[in-house]
Amino acid sequence: NAGVTQTPKFQVLKTGQSMTLQCAQDMNHEYMSWYRQDPGMGLRLIHYSVGAGITDQGEVPNGYNVSRSTTEDFPLRLLSAAPSQTSVYFCASSRGGGDVGDTQYFGPGTRLTVL
Amino acid sequence: AQSVTQPDIHITVSEGASLELRCNYSYGATPYLFWYVQSPGQGLQLLLKYFSGDTLVQGIKGFEAEFKRSQSSFNLRKPSVHWSDAAEYFCAVGAGAGKSTFGDGTTLTVKP
């Protein structure tokens, strides 16, 4: 199993550009989430999904869109990049069903810089 | 809404000394609690987790944590720190459905 994979590893954007961060998991997990990590801070939840076709907002959703058309993939779209979106982005998945099923597995992260 | 507080931003210990990293949480129900470690430029590695049952949980790399409901705490401990333990440590509370709330982290420096 590859686990949770994220592409790209690094990205530099100019203000106003759009892009999609890719996330995929091969563990057949129902739940997937996107977090951002800023210097000196923990991870903050952007969006999450409890299954294909179902998404919801987390703590910091503004400026981001998500969709979940398959169980495996959960892309994160930046509609019009802003310098405030410079951050490291982590995708995570979990099996669901409560208890140990709520253990999240994290991808390696995407480091995004917006100039 | 749940929250996690890690009171110590930075801790320095000598190699071989014991370690305790503090974590306090706020959550309305029985929490799912996690400790992660992150090395510079790396992703998060799960050290240990608590869901129910025995309040003292063992993790990888010789770490353990104790859940104390009365104090809303889940402190991480290690009896003897190694230089390779230098990293940033995050405590998190899980609300299910892929939603976790993280503390701001504690940076551990290990002196030789």
mmCIF file of all heavy atoms in Angstrom, chain A residues 31-33 35 37 40-43 45 48-50 90 94 98-108 111, chain B residues 32 34 36 38 40-46 49 51-52 88 90 94-105:
data_model
loop_
_atom_site.group_PDB
_atom_site.id
_atom_site.type_symbol
_atom_site.label_atom_id
_atom_site.label_comp_id
_atom_site.label_asym_id
_atom_site.label_seq_id
_atom_site.Cartn_x
_atom_site.Cartn_y
_atom_site.Cartn_z
ATOM 1 N N TYR A 31 -13.183 8.389 5.222
ATOM 2 C CA TYR A 31 -12.992 9.788 5.609
ATOM 3 C C TYR A 31 -11.681 10.326 5.047
ATOM 4 O O TYR A 31 -10.646 9.668 5.138
ATOM 5 C CB TYR A 31 -12.954 9.929 7.134
ATOM 6 C CG TYR A 31 -14.202 9.503 7.860
ATOM 7 C CD1 TYR A 31 -14.163 9.242 9.224
ATOM 8 C CD2 TYR A 31 -15.413 9.366 7.212
ATOM 9 C CE1 TYR A 31 -15.300 8.846 9.908
ATOM 10 C CE2 TYR A 31 -16.550 8.972 7.881
ATOM 11 C CZ TYR A 31 -16.492 8.717 9.228
ATOM 12 O OH TYR A 31 -17.618 8.330 9.912
ATOM 13 N N MET A 32 -11.748 11.534 4.518
ATOM 14 C CA MET A 32 -10.541 12.226 4.078
ATOM 15 C C MET A 32 -10.636 13.692 4.485
ATOM 16 O O MET A 32 -11.734 14.252 4.574
ATOM 17 C CB MET A 32 -10.356 12.097 2.557
ATOM 18 C CG MET A 32 -10.138 10.658 2.103
ATOM 19 S SD MET A 32 -9.749 10.491 0.355
ATOM 20 C CE MET A 32 -8.038 11.083 0.324
ATOM 21 N N SER A 33 -9.474 14.280 4.729
ATOM 22 C CA SER A 33 -9.434 15.647 5.251
ATOM 23 C C SER A 33 -8.248 16.391 4.668
ATOM 24 O O SER A 33 -7.235 15.785 4.320
ATOM 25 C CB SER A 33 -9.285 15.628 6.783
ATOM 26 O OG SER A 33 -10.228 14.788 7.399
ATOM 27 N N TYR A 35 -5.735 19.681 5.755
ATOM 28 C CA TYR A 35 -5.276 20.594 6.796
ATOM 29 C C TYR A 35 -4.211 21.519 6.214
ATOM 30 O O TYR A 35 -3.518 21.175 5.268
ATOM 31 C CB TYR A 35 -4.638 19.831 7.958
ATOM 32 C CG TYR A 35 -5.552 18.931 8.732
ATOM 33 C CD1 TYR A 35 -5.791 17.618 8.328
ATOM 34 C CD2 TYR A 35 -6.171 19.369 9.903
ATOM 35 C CE1 TYR A 35 -6.619 16.780 9.056
ATOM 36 C CE2 TYR A 35 -6.998 18.536 10.637
ATOM 37 C CZ TYR A 35 -7.208 17.238 10.208
ATOM 38 O OH TYR A 35 -8.030 16.414 10.936
ATOM 39 N N GLN A 37 -0.821 23.897 7.665
ATOM 40 C CA GLN A 37 0.053 24.130 8.810
ATOM 41 C C GLN A 37 0.892 25.368 8.539
ATOM 42 O O GLN A 37 1.674 25.407 7.593
ATOM 43 C CB GLN A 37 0.969 22.927 9.068
ATOM 44 C CG GLN A 37 1.844 23.121 10.304
ATOM 45 C CD GLN A 37 2.771 21.950 10.562
ATOM 46 O OE1 GLN A 37 3.197 21.251 9.643
ATOM 47 N NE2 GLN A 37 3.078 21.715 11.831
ATOM 48 N N GLY A 40 4.780 27.821 13.473
ATOM 49 C CA GLY A 40 4.449 28.037 14.881
ATOM 50 C C GLY A 40 3.057 27.615 15.265
ATOM 51 O O GLY A 40 2.613 27.906 16.386
ATOM 52 N N MET A 41 2.371 26.959 14.366
ATOM 53 C CA MET A 41 1.005 26.558 14.656
ATOM 54 C C MET A 41 0.810 25.084 14.351
ATOM 55 O O MET A 41 1.580 24.479 13.608
ATOM 56 C CB MET A 41 0.016 27.386 13.835
ATOM 57 C CG MET A 41 0.083 28.866 14.096
ATOM 58 S SD MET A 41 -1.116 29.768 13.131
ATOM 59 C CE MET A 41 -2.629 29.251 13.923
ATOM 60 N N GLY A 42 -0.244 24.560 14.932
ATOM 61 C CA GLY A 42 -0.617 23.195 14.595
ATOM 62 C C GLY A 42 -1.398 23.157 13.297
ATOM 63 O O GLY A 42 -1.525 24.156 12.585
ATOM 64 N N LEU A 43 -1.928 21.999 12.981
ATOM 65 C CA LEU A 43 -2.704 21.840 11.766
ATOM 66 C C LEU A 43 -4.120 22.373 11.977
ATOM 67 O O LEU A 43 -4.712 22.164 13.048
ATOM 68 C CB LEU A 43 -2.773 20.365 11.373
ATOM 69 C CG LEU A 43 -1.576 19.804 10.611
ATOM 70 C CD1 LEU A 43 -0.335 19.780 11.471
ATOM 71 C CD2 LEU A 43 -1.894 18.410 10.091
ATOM 72 N N LEU A 45 -8.004 22.475 10.168
ATOM 73 C CA LEU A 45 -8.830 21.746 9.226
ATOM 74 C C LEU A 45 -9.444 22.700 8.198
ATOM 75 O O LEU A 45 -10.090 23.678 8.560
ATOM 76 C CB LEU A 45 -9.929 20.996 9.984
ATOM 77 C CG LEU A 45 -10.859 20.114 9.161
ATOM 78 C CD1 LEU A 45 -10.087 18.963 8.531
ATOM 79 C CD2 LEU A 45 -11.976 19.574 10.044
ATOM 80 N N TYR A 48 -13.331 18.569 4.883
ATOM 81 C CA TYR A 48 -13.285 17.143 5.106
ATOM 82 C C TYR A 48 -14.420 16.459 4.358
ATOM 83 O O TYR A 48 -15.376 17.116 3.911
ATOM 84 C CB TYR A 48 -13.326 16.808 6.600
ATOM 85 C CG TYR A 48 -14.603 17.172 7.289
ATOM 86 C CD1 TYR A 48 -15.594 16.208 7.529
ATOM 87 C CD2 TYR A 48 -14.841 18.473 7.722
ATOM 88 C CE1 TYR A 48 -16.771 16.546 8.173
ATOM 89 C CE2 TYR A 48 -16.011 18.817 8.369
ATOM 90 C CZ TYR A 48 -16.974 17.849 8.589
ATOM 91 O OH TYR A 48 -18.143 18.193 9.229
ATOM 92 N N SER A 49 -14.290 15.147 4.211
ATOM 93 C CA SER A 49 -15.284 14.362 3.487
ATOM 94 C C SER A 49 -15.525 13.052 4.222
ATOM 95 O O SER A 49 -14.569 12.387 4.643
ATOM 96 C CB SER A 49 -14.792 14.086 2.067
ATOM 97 O OG SER A 49 -15.603 13.127 1.436
ATOM 98 N N VAL A 50 -16.783 12.684 4.344
ATOM 99 C CA VAL A 50 -17.121 11.426 5.019
ATOM 100 C C VAL A 50 -17.494 10.339 4.022
ATOM 101 O O VAL A 50 -17.939 9.258 4.419
ATOM 102 C CB VAL A 50 -18.247 11.612 6.057
ATOM 103 C CG1 VAL A 50 -17.784 12.570 7.154
ATOM 104 C CG2 VAL A 50 -19.512 12.119 5.401
ATOM 105 N N PHE A 90 -1.528 19.346 4.318
ATOM 106 C CA PHE A 90 -1.514 17.910 4.584
ATOM 107 C C PHE A 90 -2.891 17.326 4.307
ATOM 108 O O PHE A 90 -3.919 17.882 4.720
ATOM 109 C CB PHE A 90 -1.137 17.623 6.038
ATOM 110 C CG PHE A 90 0.312 17.892 6.353
ATOM 111 C CD1 PHE A 90 0.692 19.070 6.967
ATOM 112 C CD2 PHE A 90 1.277 16.952 6.031
ATOM 113 C CE1 PHE A 90 2.031 19.316 7.262
ATOM 114 C CE2 PHE A 90 2.615 17.193 6.322
ATOM 115 C CZ PHE A 90 2.983 18.374 6.926
ATOM 116 N N SER A 94 -8.952 8.328 7.070
ATOM 117 C CA SER A 94 -9.226 7.408 8.171
ATOM 118 C C SER A 94 -10.366 6.489 7.766
ATOM 119 O O SER A 94 -11.203 6.845 6.937
ATOM 120 C CB SER A 94 -9.552 8.145 9.471
ATOM 121 O OG SER A 94 -10.598 9.067 9.291
ATOM 122 N N GLY A 98 -15.641 4.945 14.091
ATOM 123 C CA GLY A 98 -15.389 5.186 15.503
ATOM 124 C C GLY A 98 -14.189 4.438 16.024
ATOM 125 O O GLY A 98 -13.646 3.548 15.379
ATOM 126 N N ASP A 99 -13.762 4.832 17.195
ATOM 127 C CA ASP A 99 -12.658 4.183 17.899
ATOM 128 C C ASP A 99 -11.402 4.119 17.019
ATOM 129 O O ASP A 99 -11.027 5.116 16.414
ATOM 130 C CB ASP A 99 -13.104 2.803 18.388
ATOM 131 C CG ASP A 99 -12.322 2.382 19.604
ATOM 132 O OD1 ASP A 99 -12.468 3.040 20.646
ATOM 133 O OD2 ASP A 99 -11.553 1.420 19.508
ATOM 134 N N VAL A 100 -10.788 2.951 16.889
ATOM 135 C CA VAL A 100 -9.535 2.895 16.120
ATOM 136 C C VAL A 100 -9.734 3.293 14.668
ATOM 137 O O VAL A 100 -8.792 3.667 13.981
ATOM 138 C CB VAL A 100 -8.872 1.509 16.191
ATOM 139 C CG1 VAL A 100 -8.416 1.208 17.597
ATOM 140 C CG2 VAL A 100 -9.804 0.431 15.675
ATOM 141 N N GLY A 101 -10.962 3.240 14.193
ATOM 142 C CA GLY A 101 -11.230 3.657 12.824
ATOM 143 C C GLY A 101 -11.035 5.139 12.616
ATOM 144 O O GLY A 101 -10.977 5.598 11.478
ATOM 145 N N ASP A 102 -10.948 5.889 13.695
ATOM 146 C CA ASP A 102 -10.739 7.325 13.569
ATOM 147 C C ASP A 102 -9.264 7.713 13.578
ATOM 148 O O ASP A 102 -8.934 8.893 13.617
ATOM 149 C CB ASP A 102 -11.476 8.056 14.689
ATOM 150 C CG ASP A 102 -12.937 8.272 14.331
ATOM 151 O OD1 ASP A 102 -13.305 8.064 13.153
ATOM 152 O OD2 ASP A 102 -13.703 8.629 15.222
ATOM 153 N N THR A 103 -8.388 6.751 13.549
ATOM 154 C CA THR A 103 -6.956 7.062 13.426
ATOM 155 C C THR A 103 -6.697 7.602 12.027
ATOM 156 O O THR A 103 -7.005 6.942 11.035
ATOM 157 C CB THR A 103 -6.105 5.809 13.665
ATOM 158 O OG1 THR A 103 -6.376 5.308 14.964
ATOM 159 C CG2 THR A 103 -4.624 6.140 13.534
ATOM 160 N N GLN A 104 -6.130 8.808 11.961
ATOM 161 C CA GLN A 104 -5.849 9.424 10.674
ATOM 162 C C GLN A 104 -4.441 9.083 10.196
ATOM 163 O O GLN A 104 -3.496 9.070 10.983
ATOM 164 C CB GLN A 104 -6.004 10.943 10.764
ATOM 165 C CG GLN A 104 -7.448 11.387 10.904
ATOM 166 C CD GLN A 104 -7.608 12.889 10.825
ATOM 167 O OE1 GLN A 104 -7.089 13.630 11.649
ATOM 168 N NE2 GLN A 104 -8.329 13.342 9.811
ATOM 169 N N TYR A 105 -4.336 8.850 8.901
ATOM 170 C CA TYR A 105 -3.057 8.607 8.248
ATOM 171 C C TYR A 105 -2.777 9.812 7.360
ATOM 172 O O TYR A 105 -3.604 10.191 6.534
ATOM 173 C CB TYR A 105 -3.111 7.319 7.424
ATOM 174 C CG TYR A 105 -3.324 6.097 8.275
ATOM 175 C CD1 TYR A 105 -4.594 5.743 8.708
ATOM 176 C CD2 TYR A 105 -2.252 5.308 8.663
ATOM 177 C CE1 TYR A 105 -4.796 4.629 9.498
ATOM 178 C CE2 TYR A 105 -2.439 4.187 9.444
ATOM 179 C CZ TYR A 105 -3.718 3.853 9.868
ATOM 180 O OH TYR A 105 -3.897 2.755 10.669
ATOM 181 N N PHE A 106 -1.602 10.381 7.533
ATOM 182 C CA PHE A 106 -1.273 11.630 6.857
ATOM 183 C C PHE A 106 -0.361 11.408 5.663
ATOM 184 O O PHE A 106 0.518 10.537 5.675
ATOM 185 C CB PHE A 106 -0.590 12.597 7.832
ATOM 186 C CG PHE A 106 -1.544 13.236 8.790
ATOM 187 C CD1 PHE A 106 -1.909 12.604 9.963
ATOM 188 C CD2 PHE A 106 -2.103 14.480 8.505
ATOM 189 C CE1 PHE A 106 -2.807 13.180 10.843
ATOM 190 C CE2 PHE A 106 -3.001 15.073 9.381
ATOM 191 C CZ PHE A 106 -3.354 14.424 10.548
ATOM 192 N N GLY A 107 -0.572 12.240 4.637
ATOM 193 C CA GLY A 107 0.348 12.283 3.515
ATOM 194 C C GLY A 107 1.591 13.078 3.867
ATOM 195 O O GLY A 107 1.671 13.672 4.950
ATOM 196 N N PRO A 108 2.562 13.141 2.955
ATOM 197 C CA PRO A 108 3.850 13.808 3.232
ATOM 198 C C PRO A 108 3.777 15.322 3.154
ATOM 199 O O PRO A 108 4.719 16.001 3.562
ATOM 200 C CB PRO A 108 4.769 13.255 2.148
ATOM 201 C CG PRO A 108 3.853 12.899 1.029
ATOM 202 C CD PRO A 108 2.573 12.451 1.664
ATOM 203 N N ARG A 111 4.226 21.765 0.059
ATOM 204 C CA ARG A 111 4.677 23.086 0.513
ATOM 205 C C ARG A 111 4.369 24.104 -0.576
ATOM 206 O O ARG A 111 4.923 24.039 -1.663
ATOM 207 C CB ARG A 111 6.172 23.053 0.816
ATOM 208 C CG ARG A 111 6.696 24.274 1.533
ATOM 209 C CD ARG A 111 8.147 24.070 1.954
ATOM 210 N NE ARG A 111 8.284 22.986 2.908
ATOM 211 C CZ ARG A 111 8.215 23.126 4.221
ATOM 212 N NH1 ARG A 111 8.010 24.319 4.749
ATOM 213 N NH2 ARG A 111 8.356 22.081 5.012
ATOM 214 N N TYR B 32 -11.210 11.270 21.656
ATOM 215 C CA TYR B 32 -10.155 10.473 21.059
ATOM 216 C C TYR B 32 -8.918 11.368 21.086
ATOM 217 O O TYR B 32 -8.968 12.505 20.616
ATOM 218 C CB TYR B 32 -10.476 10.108 19.611
ATOM 219 C CG TYR B 32 -11.688 9.236 19.420
ATOM 220 C CD1 TYR B 32 -12.358 9.209 18.203
ATOM 221 C CD2 TYR B 32 -12.169 8.427 20.430
ATOM 222 C CE1 TYR B 32 -13.458 8.405 18.010
ATOM 223 C CE2 TYR B 32 -13.284 7.620 20.249
ATOM 224 C CZ TYR B 32 -13.930 7.610 19.034
ATOM 225 O OH TYR B 32 -15.031 6.820 18.839
ATOM 226 N N PHE B 34 -4.603 11.974 20.583
ATOM 227 C CA PHE B 34 -3.460 11.530 19.789
ATOM 228 C C PHE B 34 -2.240 12.391 20.112
ATOM 229 O O PHE B 34 -2.350 13.574 20.428
ATOM 230 C CB PHE B 34 -3.745 11.672 18.291
ATOM 231 C CG PHE B 34 -4.997 11.002 17.816
ATOM 232 C CD1 PHE B 34 -6.215 11.675 17.864
ATOM 233 C CD2 PHE B 34 -4.970 9.720 17.313
ATOM 234 C CE1 PHE B 34 -7.381 11.069 17.424
ATOM 235 C CE2 PHE B 34 -6.129 9.106 16.865
ATOM 236 C CZ PHE B 34 -7.333 9.778 16.917
ATOM 237 N N TYR B 36 1.397 13.215 17.996
ATOM 238 C CA TYR B 36 2.168 13.057 16.767
ATOM 239 C C TYR B 36 3.529 13.705 16.948
ATOM 240 O O TYR B 36 3.691 14.658 17.716
ATOM 241 C CB TYR B 36 1.479 13.755 15.597
ATOM 242 C CG TYR B 36 0.141 13.188 15.197
ATOM 243 C CD1 TYR B 36 -1.024 13.663 15.781
ATOM 244 C CD2 TYR B 36 0.035 12.214 14.206
ATOM 245 C CE1 TYR B 36 -2.263 13.165 15.400
ATOM 246 C CE2 TYR B 36 -1.189 11.711 13.825
ATOM 247 C CZ TYR B 36 -2.331 12.191 14.429
ATOM 248 O OH TYR B 36 -3.551 11.693 14.042
ATOM 249 N N GLN B 38 6.751 15.419 14.553
ATOM 250 C CA GLN B 38 7.095 15.932 13.228
ATOM 251 C C GLN B 38 8.541 16.412 13.227
ATOM 252 O O GLN B 38 8.885 17.321 13.989
ATOM 253 C CB GLN B 38 6.152 17.078 12.838
ATOM 254 C CG GLN B 38 6.377 17.595 11.422
ATOM 255 C CD GLN B 38 5.432 18.736 11.077
ATOM 256 O OE1 GLN B 38 5.148 19.606 11.903
ATOM 257 N NE2 GLN B 38 4.930 18.744 9.851
ATOM 258 N N PRO B 40 11.713 18.292 11.160
ATOM 259 C CA PRO B 40 11.715 19.427 10.231
ATOM 260 C C PRO B 40 11.521 19.002 8.783
ATOM 261 O O PRO B 40 12.207 18.104 8.288
ATOM 262 C CB PRO B 40 13.098 20.044 10.463
ATOM 263 C CG PRO B 40 13.444 19.681 11.856
ATOM 264 C CD PRO B 40 12.867 18.311 12.071
ATOM 265 N N GLY B 41 10.568 19.646 8.123
ATOM 266 C CA GLY B 41 10.313 19.373 6.718
ATOM 267 C C GLY B 41 9.639 18.055 6.428
ATOM 268 O O GLY B 41 9.510 17.663 5.265
ATOM 269 N N GLN B 42 9.190 17.389 7.482
ATOM 270 C CA GLN B 42 8.583 16.073 7.311
ATOM 271 C C GLN B 42 7.095 16.103 7.637
ATOM 272 O O GLN B 42 6.564 17.108 8.110
ATOM 273 C CB GLN B 42 9.279 15.046 8.220
ATOM 274 C CG GLN B 42 10.764 14.915 7.979
ATOM 275 C CD GLN B 42 11.063 14.442 6.571
ATOM 276 O OE1 GLN B 42 10.489 13.457 6.085
ATOM 277 N NE2 GLN B 42 11.960 15.136 5.890
ATOM 278 N N GLY B 43 6.442 14.972 7.392
ATOM 279 C CA GLY B 43 5.037 14.828 7.735
ATOM 280 C C GLY B 43 4.865 14.428 9.191
ATOM 281 O O GLY B 43 5.813 14.461 9.978
ATOM 282 N N LEU B 44 3.672 14.055 9.546
ATOM 283 C CA LEU B 44 3.354 13.698 10.930
ATOM 284 C C LEU B 44 3.403 12.182 11.120
ATOM 285 O O LEU B 44 2.863 11.437 10.304
ATOM 286 C CB LEU B 44 1.965 14.186 11.316
ATOM 287 C CG LEU B 44 1.856 15.653 11.671
ATOM 288 C CD1 LEU B 44 1.783 16.500 10.422
ATOM 289 C CD2 LEU B 44 0.621 15.907 12.526
ATOM 290 N N GLN B 45 4.029 11.783 12.208
ATOM 291 C CA GLN B 45 4.069 10.371 12.568
ATOM 292 C C GLN B 45 3.287 10.177 13.851
ATOM 293 O O GLN B 45 3.521 10.879 14.841
ATOM 294 C CB GLN B 45 5.515 9.898 12.742
ATOM 295 C CG GLN B 45 5.637 8.421 13.077
ATOM 296 C CD GLN B 45 7.065 7.967 13.235
ATOM 297 O OE1 GLN B 45 7.977 8.754 13.513
ATOM 298 N NE2 GLN B 45 7.298 6.674 13.051
ATOM 299 N N LEU B 46 2.382 9.225 13.861
ATOM 300 C CA LEU B 46 1.578 8.951 15.039
ATOM 301 C C LEU B 46 2.421 8.236 16.087
ATOM 302 O O LEU B 46 3.021 7.200 15.813
ATOM 303 C CB LEU B 46 0.372 8.082 14.668
ATOM 304 C CG LEU B 46 -0.560 7.700 15.805
ATOM 305 C CD1 LEU B 46 -1.292 8.935 16.339
ATOM 306 C CD2 LEU B 46 -1.567 6.654 15.335
ATOM 307 N N LYS B 49 -2.168 6.751 20.717
ATOM 308 C CA LYS B 49 -3.549 7.222 20.665
ATOM 309 C C LYS B 49 -4.313 6.640 21.843
ATOM 310 O O LYS B 49 -3.980 5.560 22.365
ATOM 311 C CB LYS B 49 -4.201 6.800 19.353
ATOM 312 C CG LYS B 49 -4.178 5.287 19.133
ATOM 313 C CD LYS B 49 -4.413 4.944 17.671
ATOM 314 C CE LYS B 49 -4.259 3.440 17.468
ATOM 315 N NZ LYS B 49 -4.133 3.085 16.047
ATOM 316 N N PHE B 51 -8.381 5.844 22.958
ATOM 317 C CA PHE B 51 -9.795 5.849 22.601
ATOM 318 C C PHE B 51 -10.658 5.532 23.810
ATOM 319 O O PHE B 51 -11.681 6.169 24.046
ATOM 320 C CB PHE B 51 -10.078 4.837 21.484
ATOM 321 C CG PHE B 51 -9.433 5.204 20.183
ATOM 322 C CD1 PHE B 51 -8.350 4.511 19.708
ATOM 323 C CD2 PHE B 51 -9.906 6.273 19.441
ATOM 324 C CE1 PHE B 51 -7.735 4.861 18.514
ATOM 325 C CE2 PHE B 51 -9.302 6.644 18.246
ATOM 326 C CZ PHE B 51 -8.215 5.927 17.785
ATOM 327 N N SER B 52 -10.259 4.525 24.570
ATOM 328 C CA SER B 52 -11.031 4.126 25.742
ATOM 329 C C SER B 52 -10.195 3.115 26.515
ATOM 330 O O SER B 52 -9.113 2.706 26.079
ATOM 331 C CB SER B 52 -12.373 3.507 25.343
ATOM 332 O OG SER B 52 -12.161 2.317 24.598
ATOM 333 N N GLU B 88 9.278 18.346 16.729
ATOM 334 C CA GLU B 88 8.102 19.048 17.222
ATOM 335 C C GLU B 88 7.011 18.018 17.500
ATOM 336 O O GLU B 88 6.808 17.082 16.715
ATOM 337 C CB GLU B 88 7.617 20.083 16.218
ATOM 338 C CG GLU B 88 6.530 20.987 16.764
ATOM 339 C CD GLU B 88 6.454 22.327 16.075
ATOM 340 O OE1 GLU B 88 6.917 22.437 14.920
ATOM 341 O OE2 GLU B 88 5.906 23.286 16.691
ATOM 342 N N PHE B 90 2.957 17.267 18.575
ATOM 343 C CA PHE B 90 1.609 17.805 18.519
ATOM 344 C C PHE B 90 0.634 16.866 19.227
ATOM 345 O O PHE B 90 0.640 15.655 18.988
ATOM 346 C CB PHE B 90 1.150 17.976 17.070
ATOM 347 C CG PHE B 90 1.885 19.040 16.316
ATOM 348 C CD1 PHE B 90 2.955 18.711 15.510
ATOM 349 C CD2 PHE B 90 1.516 20.363 16.425
ATOM 350 C CE1 PHE B 90 3.652 19.687 14.807
ATOM 351 C CE2 PHE B 90 2.206 21.361 15.737
ATOM 352 C CZ PHE B 90 3.270 21.012 14.935
ATOM 353 N N GLY B 94 -9.642 14.153 18.484
ATOM 354 C CA GLY B 94 -10.432 13.779 17.322
ATOM 355 C C GLY B 94 -11.907 13.808 17.629
ATOM 356 O O GLY B 94 -12.333 13.313 18.677
ATOM 357 N N ALA B 95 -12.665 14.370 16.687
ATOM 358 C CA ALA B 95 -14.109 14.451 16.849
ATOM 359 C C ALA B 95 -14.821 13.470 15.936
ATOM 360 O O ALA B 95 -16.023 13.525 15.788
ATOM 361 C CB ALA B 95 -14.584 15.880 16.551
ATOM 362 N N GLY B 96 -14.073 12.549 15.341
ATOM 363 C CA GLY B 96 -14.672 11.628 14.392
ATOM 364 C C GLY B 96 -14.859 12.283 13.045
ATOM 365 O O GLY B 96 -14.636 13.484 12.884
ATOM 366 N N ALA B 97 -15.232 11.504 12.047
ATOM 367 C CA ALA B 97 -15.511 12.004 10.694
ATOM 368 C C ALA B 97 -14.313 12.683 10.062
ATOM 369 O O ALA B 97 -14.475 13.545 9.196
ATOM 370 C CB ALA B 97 -16.705 12.959 10.707
ATOM 371 N N GLY B 98 -13.109 12.323 10.487
ATOM 372 C CA GLY B 98 -11.924 12.919 9.897
ATOM 373 C C GLY B 98 -11.624 14.318 10.386
ATOM 374 O O GLY B 98 -10.856 15.045 9.756
ATOM 375 N N LYS B 99 -12.224 14.725 11.496
ATOM 376 C CA LYS B 99 -12.009 16.062 12.034
ATOM 377 C C LYS B 99 -11.177 15.985 13.304
ATOM 378 O O LYS B 99 -11.616 15.416 14.294
ATOM 379 C CB LYS B 99 -13.347 16.735 12.357
ATOM 380 C CG LYS B 99 -14.247 16.934 11.161
ATOM 381 C CD LYS B 99 -15.547 17.596 11.557
ATOM 382 C CE LYS B 99 -16.414 16.673 12.369
ATOM 383 N NZ LYS B 99 -17.714 17.286 12.722
ATOM 384 N N SER B 100 -9.983 16.556 13.247
ATOM 385 C CA SER B 100 -9.146 16.630 14.436
ATOM 386 C C SER B 100 -8.760 18.074 14.695
ATOM 387 O O SER B 100 -8.616 18.865 13.761
ATOM 388 C CB SER B 100 -7.876 15.791 14.272
ATOM 389 O OG SER B 100 -8.171 14.418 14.266
ATOM 390 N N THR B 101 -8.596 18.393 15.965
ATOM 391 C CA THR B 101 -8.117 19.708 16.370
ATOM 392 C C THR B 101 -6.755 19.527 17.009
ATOM 393 O O THR B 101 -6.598 18.691 17.913
ATOM 394 C CB THR B 101 -9.087 20.367 17.360
ATOM 395 O OG1 THR B 101 -10.349 20.550 16.718
ATOM 396 C CG2 THR B 101 -8.560 21.724 17.814
ATOM 397 N N PHE B 102 -5.798 20.296 16.540
ATOM 398 C CA PHE B 102 -4.416 20.169 16.981
ATOM 399 C C PHE B 102 -4.024 21.321 17.903
ATOM 400 O O PHE B 102 -4.500 22.453 17.758
ATOM 401 C CB PHE B 102 -3.474 20.177 15.777
ATOM 402 C CG PHE B 102 -3.493 18.909 14.977
ATOM 403 C CD1 PHE B 102 -4.520 18.640 14.105
ATOM 404 C CD2 PHE B 102 -2.473 17.984 15.108
ATOM 405 C CE1 PHE B 102 -4.552 17.464 13.372
ATOM 406 C CE2 PHE B 102 -2.487 16.806 14.372
ATOM 407 C CZ PHE B 102 -3.534 16.546 13.505
ATOM 408 N N GLY B 103 -3.113 21.011 18.833
ATOM 409 C CA GLY B 103 -2.447 22.080 19.557
ATOM 410 C C GLY B 103 -1.400 22.735 18.674
ATOM 411 O O GLY B 103 -1.137 22.278 17.554
ATOM 412 N N ASP B 104 -0.796 23.792 19.203
ATOM 413 C CA ASP B 104 0.192 24.530 18.423
ATOM 414 C C ASP B 104 1.577 23.902 18.456
ATOM 415 O O ASP B 104 2.499 24.391 17.810
ATOM 416 C CB ASP B 104 0.275 25.978 18.910
ATOM 417 C CG ASP B 104 -0.932 26.789 18.489
ATOM 418 O OD1 ASP B 104 -1.613 26.375 17.527
ATOM 419 O OD2 ASP B 104 -1.214 27.825 19.127
ATOM 420 N N GLY B 105 1.728 22.851 19.207
ATOM 421 C CA GLY B 105 2.975 22.113 19.192
ATOM 422 C C GLY B 105 3.965 22.525 20.257
ATOM 423 O O GLY B 105 3.928 23.658 20.773
#
